[in-house]
Amino acid sequence: MLVDVESGNITLLLSLITGAEESVIEEMLMNGIMPADVANQFGKYEEYRAFLKSNIAARLQVLIDNDEITVKEANELFNRISEN
């Protein structure tokens, strides 16, 4: 799935994952529903979580490739993030 994650457009991301109109997603978010709960309400929580984990892994790999963190540090961060 191609999503401009750099823009931080959670509305677009949730719309693509859930199949719901962006306006519906935006209204839910504006009413205080957390993104994970929006995905869950559409039965797409696991897909949402998988996308986030994949995105995190890719970003950690960039940090490793740029020698900003070690593989061990990346694994520790990924595991800590994945627990939540």
Side-chain angles (χ1 to χ4, degrees), residues 44-59:
K44 298 292 185 174
Y45 177 77
E46 289 304 320
E47 291 88 338
Y48 174 75
R49 185 169 163 80
F51 175 84
L52 293 181
K53 287 175 79 171
S54 173
N55 188 265
I56 290 166
R59 288 173 185 243

Side-chain angles (χ1 to χ4, degrees), residues 18-45:
T18 64
E21 295 290 327
E22 285 186 58
S23 59
V24 171
I25 300 295
E26 187 173 357
E27 183 176 333
M28 293 173 80
L29 295 171
M30 290 179 70
N31 284 325
I33 300 175
M34 299 300 294
D37 293 329
V38 171
N40 193 44
Q41 286 187 25
F42 286 94
K44 298 292 185 174
Y45 177 77

Side-chain angles (χ1 to χ4, degrees), residues 4 6 9 23 26 30 37 43 46 52 57 63 68-69 74 81-82:
D4 184 5
E6 293 300 321
N9 190 339
S23 59
E26 187 173 357
M30 290 179 70
D37 293 329
E46 289 304 320
L52 293 181
L63 294 174
E68 295 180 42
I69 62 173
I81 292 166
S82 293

Side-chain angles (χ1 to χ4, degrees), residues 58-74:
R59 288 173 185 243
L60 289 172
Q61 187 60 53
V62 169
L63 294 174
I64 291 168
D65 293 346
N66 291 335
D67 294 322
E68 295 180 42
I69 62 173
T70 66
V71 171
K72 181 180 178 187
E73 290 170 324

